[in-house]
Amino acid sequence: MIPLSITISGFLSYRDRTELDFSGFDLACIAGANGAGKSSLLDAITWSLFGQARKRDDSLINSKEDLAEVSFIFTYEGNVYRVIRSKPRNKTTILEFHILQEKGDEAGKRDYESGTWKPLTERTLRDTEAHIQETLRLDYETFVNASFFLQGKADQFTQQRPGDRKRILSSILGLEIWEDYRQQAGDLRRTIEKDIHAIEGRMQEITSELTEEEVRKSRLQELQKELNDLSQNRAIQETTLETIRQIAATLVEQERVVGILARQSEEAAQNLSGIKERLNSRQEERASFNQLLSREQDIEESYAAWQKSRESLESWEAVAARFREGEKKRQGPLDEINAAQAVLLQERQTLEDQQREILALQSQIPEIEKNLESVAGNAKDAEHRLARRKLLLEELQIAQKNQAEAKAENPRLKNDMEEIKGRIDQLSKTEGATCPLCGQLLSQSDRHALIESLNIQGREMGDKYRANLDLVEQTDEKVRDLENQIESLSTADSELRKYEKTSVQLTSNLEVLNAQKDQWEDKSAPRLAEITTSIDQDTFAPEARERLAVVNEELKGIGYDAAAHDSVRKAESDGRQSEVEMRALEKAKAAMTPLEREIIDLESQIVNLEDEVSRKGAEHTKAAEALEISRQKAPDQEAAEGVLLNLQERENRLRMEVGAAKQKVLVLEDLKSRFSALDTERT
C-alpha cells in the first residue's frame, strides 16, 4: 500500500481542512513540537482504514467542531483506492470506499483528482470495513505490528504470543493462500473419490442386471406365444359377435314393422272413435232442432209480442227525451237553491262553533276572577314584606355604621393604652423624670401623682375598650340577624313584579272574554237565529224557487209516466230471447235435411272402420308374436361384447408386457456399452 494523499478536517488537533500530498517524495520525516499533530496524521490513516486510533468515537472530534472527517487515497497492487470516514458528534460513523477507474499520465500514475470513482461501499459499515480488510489482506493488528509502529510500542510484535506472531507473519507474507490451496486440493480429492465410488456402484448394478439376460429372453418368448394365442381367440370372437349383430339388426327391423302395425291399428281406432263422437254430436244437434220445431207456434207468438213492445218503447223514449230536456231546465234553479243552502249551512255551522267556544270561554270567567283576587292578595302581602325589608335595610345600615365606628376606635384605644402603660413603666423605674408638658424635673410626689393620673386615664380607656368589644360583639350578632331577615325577604321584590304581571294578564284576559261575549250577543246570536229560520222555512233563494215552479208546470204538461216507461222497457228486455229463438227456429228448418244426410253417411263410415280396426289388430298381434319368438332364439349380444372386450383388454396388456420385455432385452446391449465406458472412466 502506497499513500498518495490524505485530507483531514475536525480530527484531533486538525480543526481546519488540511491536505497532505505524498506523491512528491518517497521518504519523509515528520518533526514538530509536542501537540503539533504529528501522531494525528498517522492516527488519521489507521482511523480511516480500520476505524481505530489512540482515541475513540467523539473524543476524536476537535473540541471546536461537530464533525471529524478523513479522506485517504492510496495505491495497492496497481489500483488506486479512496477511503472517506466521517464521524458527526453524537451520531453514527459514515464510511465510503471507492476505486479509481480511469488511467492517468505517461509516468503510470493516476489522475485521482479528476478521475471517475467507482463505489465499493457495502450496505453496512461493518461490511464496508470487512471489504477494505479483504482488499488489503490486512487487519489493524497486523498493520500496527508490521507496517506501522505505534508510539512507544515498537516492540509490540516481539511481545506477541508465538501463535499470534505466526498468524501475523502469515498474514504479512501471504501464506494463507497456501492454506487455501491445501483446502481446494483436499476438496478435489474427496470429489474424485466420491465419483469413483459412484462409478463402481453403477458398474455393480449393471453387472447384476446383465446376469438376468437369459431369464429376460425366455420370458419374452413366453409372452409372445401367449399373445399369438390370445390374438387368434380375439379374432374368432369378433367373427361371432358380427354374426350376433346381424341377427340383432334383423330383430330391429321386425320391431320396426310391429311398431308400424301398432300405429296403424291405433290410428284406425282413433278414426273410429272420432267418427262416433261426430255422429253423437250430429244426433244431439238433430234432437235440439226437433225440440225447436215442436215449439214453432209458441216461438212465433212470442216474437210478435216482442215486436209490439219495441214499438211502444220507441214511443215512450221520444216522450222521455222531451222530459229530459225539461229536466235540464230545472237543474239551473236547483243548483242555485243548493248553493245558497250550502252557504247558509256553512255559515250556521261556523256560528254554532263560535257559540260553543264563547260558552266554553265564559265558563272560565269565575275562575279568572278568583285567581285575580288571589293574586291581588299575594301582591299586597309582597308589598308589606318589601316595606319591612326597606326598614330592615335602614336598621342594618345604622348597625353597620356603629359596628365600623367601634371597630375603628378600639385599635386607637389600644395604642393609647399601650402608650400610657409605657409611660407608667418609665415613670415607675426612673428617678428624676421630667414633666411631659413643661419639661421640668418631677418630685417624688409629683411623679406618683402623675402615675396615678395615668392609671386612671388608662382604666377609663380600658373600660371604654372593653365596652367597645361588647358593642362590637352585640352589633355583629345584630348585623347577622338583620342580614338573615333581609335575606329571607330578598324575593319580595321579584314576587311583587310577578304578581303584578300576572294581575295585568288576568285582567286583560277577563276584558277580552267580556268583549267577545258582548260582540256575540250584539251581532252573531241574531244572525244565527235568522239563518236557522230561513233554512227551516225554505225562504232562501226566492228567485230561483220561482223559476223552478214554472219549469215544473211545463213538465206536468208533457205527460211523462216513468213507471209506465219502466214497465214497457222491462217487457221489451224480457222478450229479446224470443228473437234468438226465432233465428234458431229458422236455422233448424234450413239445416234438418242436410243434417239427416250427414248422419246416414257417418253410420256407414262406422261400419267400414270397425272392419278395418279388427283386421289391423289381427295383423299387429301376429307380427308381435313372431317378434317375441325371434327374441327368445336370439343370442346374448351384450355377453358376447363383454367377452370380446375382456379379450381385447388382455391382448393390450400382453402387448405392453411384450414391449416391456423387449425393452429389457434391448437395454442389456446398452448396459454392456455403458459398462465398458464406466470401466474406462474409472481407470
Side-chain angles (χ1 to χ4, degrees):
M1 180 180 67
I2 300 175
L4 294 179
S5 72
I6 187 169
T7 304
I8 307 172
S9 63
F11 182 80
L12 293 175
S13 58
Y14 291 90
R15 178 185 178 188
D16 298 327
R17 179 181 176 85
T18 302
E19 183 176 359
L20 180 60
D21 186 6
F22 296 102
S23 62
F25 52 85
D26 295 327
L27 181 66
C29 176
I30 303 174
N34 290 335
K38 302 185 297 297
S39 300
S40 297
L41 289 173
L42 302 176
D43 286 333
I45 294 175
T46 61
W47 185 69
S48 64
L49 292 173
F50 307 108
Q52 298 191 40
R54 290 175 297 166
K55 296 183 180 181
R56 291 181 177 275
D57 299 330
D58 288 355
S59 60
L60 292 168
I61 304 173
N62 188 280
S63 60
K64 296 182 180 179
E65 295 293 328
D66 292 328
L67 174 69
E69 184 176 81
V70 176
S71 175
F72 181 46
I73 301 175
F74 60 91
T75 64
Y76 183 72
E77 294 183 347
N79 294 317
V80 179
Y81 297 95
R82 180 177 67 183
V83 178
I84 303 174
R85 189 184 292 266
S86 59
K87 175 65 173 71
R89 193 178 299 279
N90 299 323
K91 294 183 179 180
T92 306
T93 300
I94 301 172
L95 178 61
E96 298 180 23
F97 186 34
H98 303 87
I99 184 171
L100 187 66
Q101 289 187 314
E102 296 182 357
K103 294 187 177 181
D105 55 20
E106 297 176 355
K109 297 182 181 179
R110 300 193 176 188
D111 187 2
Y112 53 82
E113 294 181 353
S114 60
T116 301
W117 294 97
K118 176 183 177 181
L120 302 177
T121 308
E122 299 292 341
R123 191 163 53 90
T124 63
L125 174 66
R126 181 174 297 179
D127 292 342
T128 305
E129 290 179 340
H131 193 177
I132 293 173
Q133 293 181 19
E134 181 181 352
T135 301
L136 299 176
R137 294 197 292 276
L138 197 69
D139 58 10
Y140 175 72
E141 186 176 358
T142 304
F143 185 69
V144 298
N145 280 277
S147 301
F148 171 62
F149 297 139
L150 296 174
Q151 185 175 357
K153 295 184 179 181
D155 59 347
Q156 181 173 351
F157 177 74
T158 61
Q159 300 298 323
Q160 298 287 344
R161 293 193 299 272
D164 293 337
R165 289 200 300 273
K166 179 181 178 182
R167 178 178 54 78
I168 293 170
L169 284 174
S170 296
S171 177
I172 295 172
L173 298 175
L175 299 179
E176 67 274 5
I177 191 65
W178 296 104
E179 178 63 23
D180 293 340
Y181 291 159
R182 186 186 67 79
Q183 291 180 357
Q184 292 176 9
D187 293 340
L188 180 60
R189 179 180 58 81
R190 286 190 292 272
T191 301
I192 293 173
E193 290 176 351
K194 183 177 179 182
D195 292 342
I196 291 174
H197 181 71
I199 290 171
E200 290 177 347
R202 182 58 182 153
M203 290 176 67
Q204 185 177 359
E205 292 176 359
I206 292 173
T207 302
S208 176
E209 196 168 354
L210 288 174
T211 58
E212 299 179 0
E213 183 175 5
E214 294 299 327
V215 176
R216 292 185 181 182
K217 289 181 178 179
S218 176
R219 176 60 178 167
L220 176 59
Q221 292 176 356
E222 293 176 358
L223 291 174
Q224 287 177 338
K225 182 178 182 303
E226 185 178 355
L227 178 60
N228 291 332
D229 295 340
L230 191 60
S231 297
Q232 292 176 2
N233 293 335
R234 186 258 307 160
I236 293 171
Q237 184 63 27
E238 286 179 347
T239 303
T240 302
L241 180 60
E242 182 62 28
T243 302
I244 293 173
R245 286 174 177 168
Q246 291 176 359
I247 294 172
T250 302
L251 287 176
V252 170
E253 180 61 25
Q254 284 183 306
E255 290 175 353
R256 187 181 69 81
V257 172
V258 170
I260 292 173
L261 292 174
R263 286 194 297 275
Q264 289 176 352
S265 177
E266 184 178 355
E267 288 175 358
Q270 289 177 354
N271 290 336
L272 177 60
S273 176
I275 295 298
K276 287 181 177 180
E277 290 179 0
R278 185 176 176 186
L279 176 61
N280 291 333
S281 175
R282 293 298 179 266
Q283 289 175 346
E284 291 175 359
E285 189 175 355
R286 182 178 61 180
S288 175
F289 287 164
N290 288 330
Q291 185 180 6
L292 282 174
L293 291 172
S294 66
R295 295 176 51 241
E296 180 178 2
Q297 184 176 358
D298 295 337
I299 292 173
E300 291 176 349
E301 291 176 355
S302 297
Y303 180 70
W306 174 69
Q307 286 182 327
K308 289 183 179 180
S309 298
R310 286 191 62 184
E311 293 175 357
S312 178
L313 179 61
E314 290 175 357
S315 175
W316 278 110
E317 288 291 340
V319 175
R322 292 171 56 201
F323 185 80
R324 282 192 290 273
E325 290 295 328
E327 281 288 330
K328 290 180 181 179
K329 295 180 181 179
R330 294 181 74 249
Q331 194 61 42
L334 284 174
D335 290 343
E336 292 182 16
I337 293 170
N338 292 332
Q341 184 180 17
V343 171
L344 292 176
L345 289 173
Q346 181 63 38
E347 186 177 1
R348 184 175 70 175
Q349 182 64 38
T350 302
L351 292 173
E352 288 175 348
D353 293 341
Q354 290 180 1
Q355 184 180 26
R356 283 190 292 272
E357 291 177 2
I358 291 296
L359 293 176
L361 292 173
Q362 293 301 314
S363 64
Q364 299 177 9
I365 292 177
E367 183 67 21
I368 294 174
E369 292 175 345
K370 182 179 179 181
N371 292 337
L372 189 60
E373 183 179 353
S374 174
V375 168
N378 291 334
K380 189 173 183 180
D381 181 62
E383 290 176 353
H384 292 322
R385 292 172 63 200
L386 192 61
R388 171 65 178 163
R389 183 170 178 271
K390 183 177 181 182
L391 294 175
L392 289 174
L393 285 172
E394 293 175 355
E395 188 175 353
L396 176 62
Q397 291 176 356
I398 295 172
Q400 288 175 340
K401 180 179 179 182
N402 294 334
Q403 181 187 38
E405 290 176 353
K407 288 182 178 180
E409 188 177 11
N410 268 4
R412 181 179 58 76
L413 291 173
K414 187 173 182 180
N415 291 334
D416 291 345
M417 287 190 295
E418 289 177 352
E419 183 180 354
I420 291 173
K421 184 175 181 302
R423 292 174 62 191
I424 292 173
D425 293 340
Q426 185 179 5
L427 290 172
S428 299
K429 296 176 181 178
T430 306
E431 295 292 338
T434 59
C435 177
L437 298 176
C438 62
Q440 300 295 324
L441 292 173
L442 296 174
S443 61
Q444 186 68 18
S445 59
D446 292 336
R447 187 165 62 85
H448 286 302
L450 182 57
I451 290 172
E452 182 62 26
S453 174
L454 290 173
N455 282 330
I456 293 170
Q457 187 177 358
R459 283 194 295 274
E460 291 176 353
M461 289 183 177
D463 293 340
K464 190 172 183 180
Y465 179 80
R466 285 185 291 276
N468 276 346
L469 289 178
D470 293 338
L471 179 61
V472 168
E473 184 176 355
Q474 293 173 3
T475 54
D476 285 345
E477 183 177 358
K478 186 174 182 181
V479 166
R480 285 194 297 273
D481 181 57
L482 290 172
E483 287 177 346
N484 290 334
Q485 294 184 50
I486 292 170
E487 179 64 25
S488 66
L489 299 173
S490 61
T491 60
D493 190 16
S494 62
E495 289 177 357
L496 179 60
R497 289 195 297 272
K498 182 182 72 173
Y499 292 140
E500 289 176 347
K501 183 178 179 181
T502 303
S503 177
V504 171
Q505 185 176 0
L506 290 172
T507 302
S508 176
N509 292 343
L510 187 61
E511 291 175 354
V512 169
L513 290 175
N514 289 327
Q516 291 176 347
K517 179 182 177 183
D518 294 340
Q519 184 179 6
W520 168 258
E521 292 177 350
D522 292 342
K523 297 181 180 180
S524 300
R527 178 58 180 166
L528 177 60
E530 179 184 354
I531 291 173
T532 302
T533 301
S534 179
I535 292 174
D536 294 341
Q537 297 179 1
D538 291 333
T539 59
F540 56 89
E543 295 180 358
R545 291 180 182 275
E546 290 179 0
R547 293 199 305 273
L548 180 61
V550 172
V551 173
N552 288 337
E553 288 297 327
E554 292 177 355
L555 290 176
K556 288 179 181 179
I558 294 174
Y560 175 71
D561 188 351
H565 188 187
D566 290 338
S567 177
V568 171
R569 185 185 295 113
K570 185 175 183 303
E572 189 275 337
S573 177
D574 293 341
R576 289 177 187 174
Q577 183 62 29
S578 63
E579 183 183 16
V580 176
E581 292 179 346
M582 188 65 182
R583 299 292 177 264
L585 179 62
E586 293 173 352
K587 179 181 178 182
K589 288 179 179 179
M592 278 301 291
T593 300
L595 183 60
E596 289 289 350
R597 286 196 301 268
E598 184 179 0
I599 289 173
I600 293 171
D601 182 60
L602 289 174
E603 289 174 347
S604 175
Q605 291 181 25
I606 288 173
V607 173
N608 295 331
L609 285 173
E610 285 176 348
D611 293 339
E612 184 180 357
V613 168
S614 177
R615 178 173 53 79
K616 289 187 177 297
E619 291 176 356
H620 172 260
T621 302
K622 183 178 179 180
E625 291 174 352
L627 175 62
E628 184 61 27
I629 293 171
S630 298
R631 284 176 177 172
Q632 293 176 359
K633 294 180 179 181
D636 190 350
Q637 180 180 347
E638 184 176 354
E641 289 176 348
V643 172
L644 177 60
L645 180 61
N646 186 27
L647 290 173
Q648 289 173 341
E649 289 178 352
R650 289 172 57 193
E651 183 181 8
N652 291 334
R653 285 198 300 271
L654 273 175
R655 288 186 186 279
M656 288 189 290
E657 291 179 8
V658 169
K662 285 182 179 179
Q663 183 64 28
K664 287 182 178 180
V665 172
L666 293 174
V667 80
L668 293 176
E669 297 299 325
D670 183 64
L671 288 175
K672 292 176 183 179
S673 301
R674 180 62 178 160
F675 184 85
S676 299
L678 289 173
D679 188 39
T680 303
E681 183 179 356
R682 181 184 62 177
T683 58

